[in-house]
């Protein structure tokens, strides 16, 4: 569903921005998963350890979420609207993770859902900083 939305939505991002920020989101998520899943066993997709299906899930989720988040980001709005956007997106991501956990798509071991709720705004901010960096390089 995320991929359909990302594919068909009107774009404010260029193809280069979509490509580079999507690759960045995959590297960021892959690195986090490598340590938090494989090394510390705090959570996993489907089965413990890193497997091909985990990679497919990452490719199916992270670039689409990245494109939707950055494409809809209210760049020309005031900071209150931007903060509200971060809160809404982080709340949605937390609810999505909770739902994924309840359907066994995702499992927590030592990880708590509130950790994610605190980290999502930071991750979204990092994605935004990366987009600004890409635009500066361009």
């Amino acid at each position: 569903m995320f991929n359909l939305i990302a594919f068909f939505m009107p774009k404010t991002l260029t193809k280069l921005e979509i490509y580079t920020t999507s690759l960045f989101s995959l590297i960021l998520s892959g690195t986090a998963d490598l340590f938090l899943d494989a090394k510390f066993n705090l959570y996993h997709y489907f089965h413990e350890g890193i497997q091909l299906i985990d990679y497919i899930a990452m490719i199916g989720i992270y670039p689409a979420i990245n494109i939707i988040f950055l494409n809809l980001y209210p760049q020309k709005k005031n900071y209150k609207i931007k903060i509200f956007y971060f809160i809404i997106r982080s709340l949605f991501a937390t609810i999505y993770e909770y739902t994924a956990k309840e359907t066994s798509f995702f499992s927590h071991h030592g990880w708590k859902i509130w950790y994610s709720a605190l980290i999502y705004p930071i991750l979204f901010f990092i994605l935004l900083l990366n987009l600004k960096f890409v635009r500066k390089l361009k």
Side-chain angles (χ1 to χ4, degrees):
M1 186 165 114
F2 294 131
N3 285 294
L4 289 173
I5 293 168
F7 185 78
F8 288 110
M9 72 187 310
K11 307 291 189 297
T12 59
L13 303 171
T14 67
K15 290 178 182 177
L16 179 64
E17 291 168 347
I18 290 171
Y19 179 75
T20 56
T21 59
S22 293
L23 285 177
F24 178 79
S25 72
L26 283 170
I27 291 168
L28 182 63
S29 64
T31 302
D33 289 346
L34 182 65
F35 283 96
L36 298 177
D37 175 3
K39 182 159 179 70
F40 298 112
N41 197 30
L42 294 175
Y43 62 77
H44 65 265
Y45 298 95
F46 304 108
H47 308 287
E48 290 189 36
I50 296 176
Q51 300 173 23
L52 179 61
I53 191 76
D54 301 342
Y55 186 68
I56 293 168
M58 287 171 46
I59 289 173
I61 296 171
Y62 294 119
I65 293 296
N66 173 62
I67 292 165
I68 295 167
F69 171 77
L70 293 173
N71 198 59
L72 296 176
Y73 180 74
Q75 294 179 34
K76 297 178 181 172
K77 301 293 182 179
N78 67 43
Y79 74 93
K80 289 180 184 177
I81 292 174
K82 291 177 181 179
I83 290 171
F84 180 72
Y85 182 72
F86 271 86
I87 292 168
I88 293 299
R89 296 301 301 197
S90 299
L91 181 62
F92 176 80
T94 304
I95 292 169
Y96 177 81
E97 181 177 326
Y98 176 79
T99 303
K101 182 178 168 284
E102 292 299 308
T103 60
S104 299
F105 176 77
F106 195 70
S107 296
H108 289 167
H109 296 284
W111 193 259
K112 306 290 183 218
I113 194 75
W114 67 269
Y115 298 168
S116 296
L118 294 174
I119 290 173
Y120 282 127
I122 297 166
L123 292 174
F124 285 130
F125 185 69
I126 291 170
L127 289 176
L128 184 61
L129 288 178
N130 182 66
L131 175 61
K132 289 182 180 196
F133 179 69
V134 167
R135 287 179 173 166
K136 187 175 183 172
L137 289 176
K138 207 166 59 166

